[in-house]
Amino acid sequence: MEEKHHVTVSTTYSTNEVEDRIVYLEDLEKRKQIYGICGECNEPGTGFYWCRPCNAKRFEDNFKNWTSGNKVVDEFIQHSQLNAIYFHKCLEWIPFEKFQKVTYVAEGGFGKVYSAEMPEGIIVYWDFENQKWYRVEYSKYALKSLKNSSDIGSDFLNEIKSHLQIHLNDIVKCYGITQDPKTKEYMMVFYYYEDGNLRNYLNDSVFYVDYMSKIYSLRIISRGLLDIHNAGLVHKDFHSGNILYNDIYPCISDLGMCRPVNQQSIKEEGIYGVLPYVAPEVLRGHQYTKSADIYSFGIIMNELLSEEIPFKDISHDEFLAIRICQGDRPKISKDVPQLLTDLIIKCWDAEIENRPTAKELYQMLEKWWEERYDEDSELNFQINECDKIGEKNFYNKSNEDKSKNIQSHSQAFYTSRLLNFKNLPKPVNSIDLSSLQFNSASNYTIQSTSANQNSVQINELELNEFWQNDIE
Protein backbone atom coordinates (compact mmCIF):
# COMPACT_ATOMS: atom_id res chain seq x y z
CA MET A 1 0.00 0.00 0.00
CA GLU A 2 1.51 3.29 -1.07
CA GLU A 3 1.84 6.08 1.44
CA LYS A 4 -0.94 8.66 1.26
CA HIS A 5 -1.75 11.97 2.86
CA HIS A 6 -5.36 13.10 3.35
CA VAL A 7 -6.25 16.70 2.60
CA THR A 8 -9.56 18.47 2.17
CA VAL A 9 -8.51 21.76 0.57
CA SER A 10 -6.01 22.72 -2.08
CA THR A 11 -3.01 24.89 -1.19
CA THR A 12 -2.85 28.37 -2.69
CA TYR A 13 0.45 30.12 -3.32
CA SER A 14 1.41 33.63 -4.36
CA THR A 15 2.60 34.19 -7.91
CA ASN A 16 6.28 34.23 -6.89
CA GLU A 17 5.91 31.05 -4.83
CA VAL A 18 4.27 29.24 -7.72
CA GLU A 19 6.99 30.33 -10.13
CA ASP A 20 9.66 29.18 -7.68
CA ARG A 21 8.02 25.78 -7.45
CA ILE A 22 7.28 24.99 -11.06
CA VAL A 23 9.56 26.95 -13.38
CA TYR A 24 12.73 25.20 -14.44
CA LEU A 25 15.45 27.34 -12.86
CA GLU A 26 18.78 27.79 -14.57
CA ASP A 27 20.48 28.75 -11.33
CA LEU A 28 21.81 25.38 -10.12
CA GLU A 29 22.32 26.44 -6.50
CA LYS A 30 18.84 27.92 -6.27
CA ARG A 31 17.35 24.75 -7.72
CA LYS A 32 19.22 22.72 -5.12
CA GLN A 33 17.86 24.95 -2.38
CA ILE A 34 14.24 24.82 -3.57
CA TYR A 35 13.94 21.36 -5.05
CA GLY A 36 16.65 19.39 -3.33
CA ILE A 37 18.89 16.72 -4.82
CA CYS A 38 17.45 13.58 -6.40
CA GLY A 39 18.36 10.53 -4.31
CA GLU A 40 19.00 8.47 -7.44
CA CYS A 41 20.84 10.62 -9.97
CA ASN A 42 22.21 13.19 -7.50
CA GLU A 43 20.94 16.06 -9.69
CA PRO A 44 18.63 18.95 -8.74
CA GLY A 45 14.97 18.25 -9.42
CA THR A 46 13.12 19.85 -12.32
CA GLY A 47 10.00 20.48 -10.22
CA PHE A 48 8.90 20.55 -6.60
CA TYR A 49 10.24 17.22 -5.23
CA TRP A 50 10.29 15.93 -8.79
CA CYS A 51 13.13 14.55 -10.91
CA ARG A 52 11.91 14.40 -14.49
CA PRO A 53 14.57 12.02 -15.95
CA CYS A 54 14.27 9.50 -13.12
CA ASN A 55 10.48 9.61 -13.01
CA ALA A 56 10.23 9.34 -16.79
CA LYS A 57 12.29 6.14 -16.69
CA ARG A 58 10.14 4.85 -13.82
CA PHE A 59 6.93 5.54 -15.76
CA GLU A 60 8.32 4.03 -18.93
CA ASP A 61 9.23 0.79 -17.15
CA ASN A 62 5.61 0.59 -15.97
CA PHE A 63 3.98 1.10 -19.38
CA LYS A 64 3.65 -2.66 -19.86
CA ASN A 65 1.58 -2.97 -16.67
CA TRP A 66 -1.43 -0.89 -17.72
CA THR A 67 -3.55 0.05 -20.72
CA SER A 68 -6.73 1.99 -21.33
CA GLY A 69 -7.57 -0.31 -24.20
CA ASN A 70 -7.17 2.60 -26.60
CA LYS A 71 -3.84 3.27 -28.29
CA VAL A 72 -4.46 7.02 -28.67
CA VAL A 73 -5.29 7.42 -24.97
CA ASP A 74 -2.33 5.26 -23.92
CA GLU A 75 0.13 7.30 -25.97
CA PHE A 76 -1.35 10.57 -24.73
CA ILE A 77 -0.93 9.58 -21.07
CA GLN A 78 2.53 8.13 -21.69
CA HIS A 79 3.65 11.38 -23.34
CA SER A 80 2.54 13.37 -20.29
CA GLN A 81 4.41 11.02 -17.95
CA LEU A 82 7.62 11.11 -19.95
CA ASN A 83 7.62 14.92 -20.10
CA ALA A 84 6.16 15.93 -16.73
CA ILE A 85 8.32 18.47 -14.89
CA TYR A 86 6.20 18.19 -11.74
CA PHE A 87 3.24 16.14 -10.58
CA HIS A 88 0.45 18.38 -11.94
CA LYS A 89 1.77 17.66 -15.43
CA CYS A 90 1.56 13.91 -14.95
CA LEU A 91 -1.58 12.06 -16.03
CA GLU A 92 -2.53 8.53 -14.97
CA TRP A 93 -4.84 5.92 -16.42
CA ILE A 94 -7.17 5.27 -13.49
CA PRO A 95 -9.35 2.13 -13.79
CA PHE A 96 -12.98 3.01 -12.99
CA GLU A 97 -13.17 0.38 -10.23
CA LYS A 98 -10.77 2.47 -8.15
CA PHE A 99 -13.51 5.07 -7.67
CA GLN A 100 -16.11 4.78 -4.93
CA LYS A 101 -19.47 6.47 -4.32
CA VAL A 102 -19.76 7.75 -7.88
CA THR A 103 -22.66 10.24 -7.85
CA TYR A 104 -24.23 12.25 -10.67
CA VAL A 105 -23.85 16.01 -10.09
CA ALA A 106 -24.93 17.95 -13.17
CA GLU A 107 -25.02 18.13 -16.96
CA GLY A 108 -23.55 21.06 -18.85
CA GLY A 109 -23.49 22.09 -22.47
CA PHE A 110 -20.94 19.47 -23.48
CA GLY A 111 -21.09 16.63 -20.97
CA LYS A 112 -21.87 15.32 -17.52
CA VAL A 113 -20.10 15.70 -14.17
CA TYR A 114 -19.98 13.16 -11.35
CA SER A 115 -18.41 13.22 -7.90
CA ALA A 116 -16.44 10.28 -6.56
CA GLU A 117 -13.96 9.15 -3.93
CA MET A 118 -10.65 7.48 -4.70
CA PRO A 119 -8.81 6.14 -1.63
CA GLU A 120 -5.62 5.48 -3.57
CA GLY A 121 -5.10 9.19 -4.25
CA ILE A 122 -2.95 10.88 -6.87
CA ILE A 123 0.80 10.77 -7.44
CA VAL A 124 2.78 13.67 -5.92
CA TYR A 125 6.41 12.48 -5.93
CA TRP A 126 8.62 9.42 -5.68
CA ASP A 127 9.41 8.42 -2.10
CA PHE A 128 13.04 7.42 -2.54
CA GLU A 129 13.46 5.98 0.95
CA ASN A 130 10.43 3.67 0.68
CA GLN A 131 10.72 3.14 -3.09
CA LYS A 132 7.10 3.95 -3.92
CA TRP A 133 4.94 6.85 -5.06
CA TYR A 134 3.92 9.29 -2.39
CA ARG A 135 0.21 9.99 -2.97
CA VAL A 136 -2.35 12.51 -1.76
CA GLU A 137 -5.99 11.55 -1.31
CA TYR A 138 -8.41 14.44 -1.77
CA SER A 139 -11.83 14.27 -0.15
CA LYS A 140 -13.60 14.08 -3.52
CA TYR A 141 -12.86 14.00 -7.23
CA ALA A 142 -14.89 15.24 -10.17
CA LEU A 143 -15.33 12.94 -13.16
CA LYS A 144 -16.22 14.82 -16.33
CA SER A 145 -17.36 13.11 -19.50
CA LEU A 146 -17.86 14.75 -22.88
CA LYS A 147 -20.75 13.80 -25.12
CA ASN A 148 -19.90 10.95 -27.47
CA SER A 149 -16.50 10.50 -25.81
CA SER A 150 -16.76 6.71 -26.11
CA ASP A 151 -15.36 7.38 -29.58
CA ILE A 152 -12.35 9.33 -28.35
CA GLY A 153 -11.93 12.57 -30.25
CA SER A 154 -9.78 15.66 -30.45
CA ASP A 155 -12.16 17.76 -28.29
CA PHE A 156 -11.63 15.44 -25.31
CA LEU A 157 -7.85 15.37 -25.62
CA ASN A 158 -7.61 19.09 -26.45
CA GLU A 159 -9.30 19.98 -23.17
CA ILE A 160 -6.73 17.93 -21.25
CA LYS A 161 -3.89 19.46 -23.27
CA SER A 162 -5.12 22.91 -22.29
CA HIS A 163 -5.07 21.97 -18.60
CA LEU A 164 -1.51 20.66 -18.92
CA GLN A 165 -0.30 23.95 -20.47
CA ILE A 166 -1.44 26.05 -17.48
CA HIS A 167 1.04 26.41 -14.63
CA LEU A 168 -0.69 28.23 -11.77
CA ASN A 169 -3.03 26.79 -9.16
CA ASP A 170 -5.79 29.14 -10.36
CA ILE A 171 -6.81 26.60 -13.03
CA VAL A 172 -8.52 23.30 -12.22
CA LYS A 173 -5.97 20.50 -12.58
CA CYS A 174 -6.56 17.28 -14.50
CA TYR A 175 -5.06 14.22 -12.80
CA GLY A 176 -5.94 11.45 -15.19
CA ILE A 177 -8.38 9.66 -17.46
CA THR A 178 -10.83 6.86 -16.73
CA GLN A 179 -13.66 5.11 -18.58
CA ASP A 180 -17.17 4.23 -17.46
CA PRO A 181 -17.47 0.46 -18.15
CA LYS A 182 -21.23 0.77 -18.76
CA THR A 183 -21.44 3.75 -21.11
CA LYS A 184 -17.88 3.31 -22.44
CA GLU A 185 -17.46 7.08 -22.19
CA TYR A 186 -14.03 8.42 -21.26
CA MET A 187 -13.88 10.78 -18.30
CA MET A 188 -11.38 13.37 -17.08
CA VAL A 189 -10.46 13.26 -13.39
CA PHE A 190 -10.29 16.57 -11.50
CA TYR A 191 -10.31 17.80 -7.93
CA TYR A 192 -13.92 18.27 -6.77
CA TYR A 193 -14.83 21.79 -5.66
CA GLU A 194 -17.30 21.36 -2.81
CA ASP A 195 -18.69 24.91 -2.90
CA GLY A 196 -19.78 24.77 -6.54
CA ASN A 197 -19.51 27.67 -8.95
CA LEU A 198 -19.44 31.43 -8.42
CA ARG A 199 -23.23 31.65 -8.33
CA ASN A 200 -23.44 28.91 -5.69
CA TYR A 201 -20.75 30.71 -3.69
CA LEU A 202 -22.83 33.89 -3.59
CA ASN A 203 -26.25 32.28 -3.13
CA ASP A 204 -25.17 29.89 -0.38
CA SER A 205 -23.24 32.40 1.70
CA VAL A 206 -24.86 33.02 5.09
CA PHE A 207 -22.52 35.95 5.72
CA TYR A 208 -22.07 39.20 3.87
CA VAL A 209 -19.23 38.99 1.33
CA ASP A 210 -17.47 42.36 1.52
CA TYR A 211 -15.89 44.12 -1.44
CA MET A 212 -12.30 43.44 -0.48
CA SER A 213 -13.10 39.71 -0.35
CA LYS A 214 -14.57 40.05 -3.82
CA ILE A 215 -11.45 41.86 -5.03
CA TYR A 216 -9.47 38.92 -3.64
CA SER A 217 -11.55 36.55 -5.78
CA LEU A 218 -11.30 38.73 -8.89
CA ARG A 219 -7.55 39.01 -8.43
CA ILE A 220 -7.18 35.21 -8.48
CA ILE A 221 -9.56 34.79 -11.43
CA SER A 222 -7.70 37.46 -13.42
CA ARG A 223 -4.39 35.76 -12.59
CA GLY A 224 -5.75 32.48 -13.93
CA LEU A 225 -6.96 34.18 -17.10
CA LEU A 226 -3.55 35.82 -17.48
CA ASP A 227 -1.90 32.41 -17.27
CA ILE A 228 -4.25 31.09 -19.97
CA HIS A 229 -3.36 34.03 -22.22
CA ASN A 230 0.36 33.71 -21.44
CA ALA A 231 0.13 30.11 -22.65
CA GLY A 232 -1.04 31.45 -26.01
CA LEU A 233 -4.62 30.28 -25.41
CA VAL A 234 -8.06 31.84 -25.13
CA HIS A 235 -10.77 30.33 -22.93
CA LYS A 236 -13.74 30.94 -25.29
CA ASP A 237 -16.38 29.78 -22.77
CA PHE A 238 -15.71 32.10 -19.85
CA HIS A 239 -18.74 32.49 -17.55
CA SER A 240 -19.62 32.22 -13.85
CA GLY A 241 -20.53 28.53 -14.17
CA ASN A 242 -16.88 27.88 -15.02
CA ILE A 243 -15.56 29.63 -11.91
CA LEU A 244 -15.43 26.99 -9.16
CA TYR A 245 -14.96 27.62 -5.45
CA ASN A 246 -13.32 25.70 -2.65
CA ASP A 247 -14.08 27.73 0.47
CA ILE A 248 -13.04 31.26 -0.59
CA TYR A 249 -10.62 30.19 -3.34
CA PRO A 250 -11.89 30.45 -6.95
CA CYS A 251 -10.52 28.38 -9.81
CA ILE A 252 -11.14 28.49 -13.57
CA SER A 253 -12.52 25.29 -15.07
CA ASP A 254 -13.88 23.85 -18.33
CA LEU A 255 -11.12 24.47 -20.83
CA GLY A 256 -12.91 22.37 -23.43
CA MET A 257 -13.30 25.32 -25.80
CA CYS A 258 -9.79 26.61 -25.03
CA ARG A 259 -7.76 26.98 -28.21
CA PRO A 260 -4.51 28.61 -29.36
CA VAL A 261 -5.02 32.21 -30.41
CA ASN A 262 -4.01 31.41 -34.00
CA GLN A 263 -6.61 28.63 -34.31
CA GLN A 264 -9.81 30.61 -33.91
CA SER A 265 -11.94 29.94 -36.97
CA ILE A 266 -15.68 30.25 -36.32
CA LYS A 267 -17.60 27.11 -37.22
CA GLU A 268 -20.05 27.57 -40.07
CA GLU A 269 -23.05 26.62 -37.92
CA GLY A 270 -22.31 29.33 -35.34
CA ILE A 271 -20.52 29.75 -32.04
CA TYR A 272 -20.95 28.12 -28.64
CA GLY A 273 -21.31 29.91 -25.34
CA VAL A 274 -23.62 31.45 -22.74
CA LEU A 275 -25.18 34.46 -24.48
CA PRO A 276 -24.91 37.10 -21.70
CA TYR A 277 -21.14 36.49 -21.44
CA VAL A 278 -20.29 36.43 -25.17
CA ALA A 279 -18.62 39.54 -26.60
CA PRO A 280 -20.71 41.37 -29.24
CA GLU A 281 -18.07 41.04 -31.95
CA VAL A 282 -18.06 37.25 -31.42
CA LEU A 283 -21.86 37.17 -31.68
CA ARG A 284 -21.42 38.77 -35.11
CA GLY A 285 -19.11 35.93 -36.16
CA HIS A 286 -15.78 37.69 -35.75
CA GLN A 287 -12.66 35.91 -34.56
CA TYR A 288 -12.52 35.04 -30.88
CA THR A 289 -9.60 36.92 -29.30
CA LYS A 290 -8.14 37.46 -25.85
CA SER A 291 -10.20 40.66 -25.73
CA ALA A 292 -13.37 38.56 -25.94
CA ASP A 293 -12.27 36.77 -22.76
CA ILE A 294 -11.83 40.19 -21.14
CA TYR A 295 -15.42 41.10 -22.08
CA SER A 296 -16.59 37.90 -20.40
CA PHE A 297 -14.48 38.75 -17.34
CA GLY A 298 -16.32 42.09 -17.13
CA ILE A 299 -19.68 40.30 -17.03
CA ILE A 300 -18.36 37.88 -14.38
CA MET A 301 -16.91 40.78 -12.39
CA ASN A 302 -20.23 42.57 -12.33
CA GLU A 303 -22.07 39.38 -11.39
CA LEU A 304 -19.75 38.92 -8.42
CA LEU A 305 -19.86 42.55 -7.29
CA SER A 306 -23.54 43.30 -7.98
CA GLU A 307 -24.66 39.77 -7.02
CA GLU A 308 -27.08 39.77 -9.95
CA ILE A 309 -27.38 37.10 -12.62
CA PRO A 310 -26.90 38.83 -15.99
CA PHE A 311 -30.07 39.22 -18.06
CA LYS A 312 -31.96 36.73 -15.91
CA ASP A 313 -35.40 38.28 -16.49
CA ILE A 314 -35.51 38.02 -20.28
CA SER A 315 -35.29 35.41 -23.00
CA HIS A 316 -31.81 34.66 -24.35
CA ASP A 317 -32.68 34.98 -28.02
CA GLU A 318 -32.01 37.13 -31.11
CA PHE A 319 -33.56 40.16 -29.42
CA LEU A 320 -31.00 40.02 -26.61
CA ALA A 321 -28.14 39.45 -29.08
CA ILE A 322 -29.16 42.62 -30.96
CA ARG A 323 -29.51 44.56 -27.71
CA ILE A 324 -26.01 43.51 -26.66
CA CYS A 325 -24.60 44.68 -29.99
CA GLN A 326 -26.46 47.98 -29.52
CA GLY A 327 -24.77 48.52 -26.16
CA ASP A 328 -27.09 46.88 -23.64
CA ARG A 329 -25.24 45.48 -20.61
CA PRO A 330 -26.27 43.91 -17.30
CA LYS A 331 -27.29 46.21 -14.45
CA ILE A 332 -24.54 47.47 -12.17
CA SER A 333 -25.66 47.71 -8.56
CA LYS A 334 -25.78 51.19 -7.02
CA ASP A 335 -23.65 49.79 -4.18
CA VAL A 336 -20.60 48.93 -6.34
CA PRO A 337 -17.67 51.32 -5.68
CA GLN A 338 -17.04 53.66 -8.61
CA LEU A 339 -13.46 52.50 -9.22
CA LEU A 340 -14.75 48.96 -9.71
CA THR A 341 -17.64 50.19 -11.86
CA ASP A 342 -15.15 51.97 -14.13
CA LEU A 343 -13.14 48.77 -14.59
CA ILE A 344 -16.26 46.72 -15.38
CA ILE A 345 -17.28 49.20 -18.09
CA LYS A 346 -13.79 49.16 -19.63
CA CYS A 347 -13.90 45.35 -19.84
CA TRP A 348 -17.17 45.25 -21.76
CA ASP A 349 -16.43 48.18 -24.08
CA ALA A 350 -17.74 47.53 -27.61
CA GLU A 351 -14.36 48.61 -29.02
CA ILE A 352 -11.97 45.76 -28.26
CA GLU A 353 -8.90 48.03 -28.25
CA ASN A 354 -10.41 49.92 -25.30
CA ARG A 355 -10.57 46.82 -23.12
CA PRO A 356 -7.67 46.16 -20.73
CA THR A 357 -5.41 43.15 -21.19
CA ALA A 358 -5.40 40.28 -18.69
CA LYS A 359 -2.05 41.58 -17.40
CA GLU A 360 -3.47 45.06 -16.84
CA LEU A 361 -6.50 43.57 -15.11
CA TYR A 362 -4.38 41.51 -12.77
CA GLN A 363 -2.01 44.39 -12.01
CA MET A 364 -4.90 46.72 -11.13
CA LEU A 365 -6.64 44.15 -8.91
CA GLU A 366 -3.32 43.26 -7.27
CA LYS A 367 -2.70 46.94 -6.56
CA TRP A 368 -6.14 47.30 -4.97
CA TRP A 369 -5.58 44.16 -2.91
CA GLU A 370 -2.28 45.52 -1.63
CA GLU A 371 -4.08 48.72 -0.60
CA ARG A 372 -6.43 46.88 1.77
CA TYR A 373 -4.58 48.21 4.83
CA ASP A 374 -4.18 51.74 3.48
CA GLU A 375 -7.03 53.62 5.12
CA ASP A 376 -6.25 56.75 3.10
CA SER A 377 -6.61 55.14 -0.33
CA GLU A 378 -9.48 56.22 -2.57
CA LEU A 379 -10.59 52.60 -3.03
CA ASN A 380 -10.84 51.97 0.71
CA PHE A 381 -12.88 55.12 1.14
CA GLN A 382 -15.30 53.97 -1.55
CA ILE A 383 -15.42 50.40 -0.25
CA ASN A 384 -16.13 51.43 3.35
CA GLU A 385 -19.09 53.53 2.27
CA CYS A 386 -20.49 50.82 0.00
CA ASP A 387 -19.93 47.99 2.50
CA LYS A 388 -22.05 49.81 5.06
CA ILE A 389 -24.98 49.84 2.65
CA GLY A 390 -24.32 46.37 1.22
CA GLU A 391 -24.06 44.68 4.61
CA LYS A 392 -27.26 46.32 5.83
CA ASN A 393 -29.13 45.26 2.68
CA PHE A 394 -27.80 41.70 2.90
CA TYR A 395 -28.99 41.05 6.43
CA ASN A 396 -32.32 42.78 5.79
CA LYS A 397 -33.12 40.49 2.86
CA SER A 398 -35.87 37.97 3.51
CA ASN A 399 -35.60 34.36 2.36
CA GLU A 400 -38.25 35.19 -0.23
CA ASP A 401 -36.10 38.00 -1.63
CA LYS A 402 -33.06 35.70 -1.78
CA SER A 403 -35.12 33.07 -3.56
CA LYS A 404 -36.31 35.60 -6.16
CA ASN A 405 -32.73 36.69 -6.76
CA ILE A 406 -31.77 33.29 -8.17
CA GLN A 407 -34.90 32.75 -10.27
CA SER A 408 -34.55 33.33 -13.99
CA HIS A 409 -36.68 33.48 -17.12
CA SER A 410 -37.73 30.11 -18.56
CA GLN A 411 -35.85 30.94 -21.76
CA ALA A 412 -32.69 32.18 -20.04
CA PHE A 413 -29.91 29.60 -20.56
CA TYR A 414 -26.73 29.51 -18.49
CA THR A 415 -25.04 26.45 -20.00
CA SER A 416 -23.12 26.62 -23.27
CA ARG A 417 -25.15 26.07 -26.42
CA LEU A 418 -25.07 26.86 -30.13
CA LEU A 419 -25.56 30.57 -30.83
CA ASN A 420 -26.37 31.20 -34.47
CA PHE A 421 -27.46 34.78 -35.08
CA LYS A 422 -27.36 36.40 -38.50
CA ASN A 423 -27.00 40.03 -39.56
CA LEU A 424 -26.43 41.52 -36.12
CA PRO A 425 -25.72 45.28 -35.97
CA LYS A 426 -22.22 46.64 -35.55
CA PRO A 427 -21.34 46.75 -31.80
CA VAL A 428 -21.56 50.17 -30.18
CA ASN A 429 -21.48 51.52 -26.64
CA SER A 430 -24.65 52.75 -25.01
CA ILE A 431 -24.76 56.47 -24.22
CA ASP A 432 -26.27 55.57 -20.86
CA LEU A 433 -23.31 53.29 -20.12
CA SER A 434 -20.63 55.91 -20.74
CA SER A 435 -22.49 58.37 -18.51
CA LEU A 436 -21.88 56.08 -15.54
CA GLN A 437 -18.17 56.86 -15.57
CA PHE A 438 -16.73 59.93 -13.93
CA ASN A 439 -13.46 61.04 -12.39
CA SER A 440 -12.97 58.67 -9.46
CA ALA A 441 -10.46 61.04 -7.88
CA SER A 442 -13.24 63.54 -7.24
CA ASN A 443 -15.41 63.48 -4.15
CA TYR A 444 -17.11 60.13 -4.04
CA THR A 445 -20.86 59.83 -3.97
CA ILE A 446 -22.85 56.63 -4.33
CA GLN A 447 -24.60 56.76 -7.69
CA SER A 448 -27.50 54.58 -8.76
CA THR A 449 -26.78 52.63 -11.95
CA SER A 450 -29.27 49.84 -11.59
CA ALA A 451 -32.52 51.15 -13.05
CA ASN A 452 -32.69 50.31 -16.76
CA GLN A 453 -29.28 51.81 -17.35
CA ASN A 454 -29.05 50.52 -20.92
CA SER A 455 -32.64 50.15 -22.02
CA VAL A 456 -32.75 49.07 -25.67
CA GLN A 457 -36.22 48.37 -27.04
CA ILE A 458 -36.55 46.26 -30.17
CA ASN A 459 -39.81 45.11 -31.68
CA GLU A 460 -40.46 42.14 -33.96
CA LEU A 461 -40.65 44.34 -37.08
CA GLU A 462 -37.18 45.72 -36.41
CA LEU A 463 -35.86 42.20 -35.83
CA ASN A 464 -37.22 41.09 -39.20
CA GLU A 465 -35.43 44.01 -40.81
CA PHE A 466 -32.15 42.85 -39.26
CA TRP A 467 -32.73 39.38 -40.69
CA GLN A 468 -33.43 40.75 -44.18
CA ASN A 469 -30.52 43.17 -44.40
CA ASP A 470 -26.81 42.55 -44.27
CA ILE A 471 -25.90 45.12 -41.64
CA GLU A 472 -22.30 46.22 -41.54
Side-chain angles (χ1 to χ4, degrees), residues 64 80 129 136 174 313 399 432:
K64 62 181 179 295
S80 78
E129 292 183 2
V136 167
C174 183
D313 298 325
N399 290 331
D432 293 333

mmCIF file of all heavy atoms in Angstrom, residues 64 80 129 136 174 313 399 432:
data_model
loop_
_atom_site.group_PDB
_atom_site.id
_atom_site.type_symbol
_atom_site.label_atom_id
_atom_site.label_comp_id
_atom_site.label_asym_id
_atom_site.label_seq_id
_atom_site.Cartn_x
_atom_site.Cartn_y
_atom_site.Cartn_z
ATOM 1 N N LYS A 64 4.136 -1.317 -19.526
ATOM 2 C CA LYS A 64 3.653 -2.658 -19.855
ATOM 3 C C LYS A 64 2.618 -3.173 -18.863
ATOM 4 O O LYS A 64 1.937 -4.173 -19.120
ATOM 5 C CB LYS A 64 4.832 -3.632 -19.894
ATOM 6 C CG LYS A 64 5.569 -3.778 -18.572
ATOM 7 C CD LYS A 64 6.745 -4.728 -18.689
ATOM 8 C CE LYS A 64 7.510 -4.875 -17.368
ATOM 9 N NZ LYS A 64 8.158 -3.600 -16.968
ATOM 10 N N SER A 80 2.571 12.467 -21.443
ATOM 11 C CA SER A 80 2.542 13.366 -20.286
ATOM 12 C C SER A 80 3.489 12.880 -19.197
ATOM 13 O O SER A 80 4.164 13.677 -18.546
ATOM 14 C CB SER A 80 1.118 13.486 -19.743
ATOM 15 O OG SER A 80 0.744 12.374 -18.974
ATOM 16 N N GLU A 129 13.126 6.850 -0.181
ATOM 17 C CA GLU A 129 13.457 5.979 0.949
ATOM 18 C C GLU A 129 12.613 4.710 0.954
ATOM 19 O O GLU A 129 13.110 3.623 1.230
ATOM 20 C CB GLU A 129 13.281 6.731 2.265
ATOM 21 C CG GLU A 129 14.295 7.850 2.467
ATOM 22 C CD GLU A 129 14.129 8.524 3.818
ATOM 23 O OE1 GLU A 129 13.248 8.092 4.605
ATOM 24 O OE2 GLU A 129 14.865 9.492 4.092
ATOM 25 N N VAL A 136 -1.437 11.686 -2.548
ATOM 26 C CA VAL A 136 -2.347 12.508 -1.763
ATOM 27 C C VAL A 136 -3.773 12.098 -2.105
ATOM 28 O O VAL A 136 -4.127 11.981 -3.288
ATOM 29 C CB VAL A 136 -2.158 14.013 -2.058
ATOM 30 C CG1 VAL A 136 -3.307 14.827 -1.475
ATOM 31 C CG2 VAL A 136 -0.844 14.503 -1.484
ATOM 32 N N CYS A 174 -6.118 18.603 -14.061
ATOM 33 C CA CYS A 174 -6.560 17.279 -14.505
ATOM 34 C C CYS A 174 -5.527 16.252 -14.063
ATOM 35 O O CYS A 174 -4.336 16.399 -14.345
ATOM 36 C CB CYS A 174 -6.719 17.249 -16.019
ATOM 37 S SG CYS A 174 -7.356 15.676 -16.645
ATOM 38 N N ASP A 313 -33.960 38.055 -16.403
ATOM 39 C CA ASP A 313 -35.404 38.278 -16.492
ATOM 40 C C ASP A 313 -35.941 38.275 -17.912
ATOM 41 O O ASP A 313 -37.119 38.549 -18.134
ATOM 42 C CB ASP A 313 -35.773 39.617 -15.828
ATOM 43 C CG ASP A 313 -35.427 39.629 -14.346
ATOM 44 O OD1 ASP A 313 -35.553 38.574 -13.705
ATOM 45 O OD2 ASP A 313 -35.023 40.697 -13.842
ATOM 46 N N ASN A 399 -35.855 35.580 3.132
ATOM 47 C CA ASN A 399 -35.602 34.362 2.363
ATOM 48 C C ASN A 399 -36.322 34.410 1.018
ATOM 49 O O ASN A 399 -35.842 33.877 0.021
ATOM 50 C CB ASN A 399 -36.043 33.134 3.157
ATOM 51 C CG ASN A 399 -35.144 32.867 4.351
ATOM 52 O OD1 ASN A 399 -33.957 33.205 4.327
ATOM 53 N ND2 ASN A 399 -35.692 32.270 5.391
ATOM 54 N N ASP A 432 -25.992 55.678 -22.294
ATOM 55 C CA ASP A 432 -26.273 55.573 -20.863
ATOM 56 C C ASP A 432 -25.098 54.953 -20.123
ATOM 57 O O ASP A 432 -24.782 55.319 -19.000
ATOM 58 C CB ASP A 432 -27.528 54.732 -20.624
ATOM 59 C CG ASP A 432 -28.778 55.409 -21.137
ATOM 60 O OD1 ASP A 432 -28.787 56.647 -21.186
ATOM 61 O OD2 ASP A 432 -29.744 54.701 -21.487
#
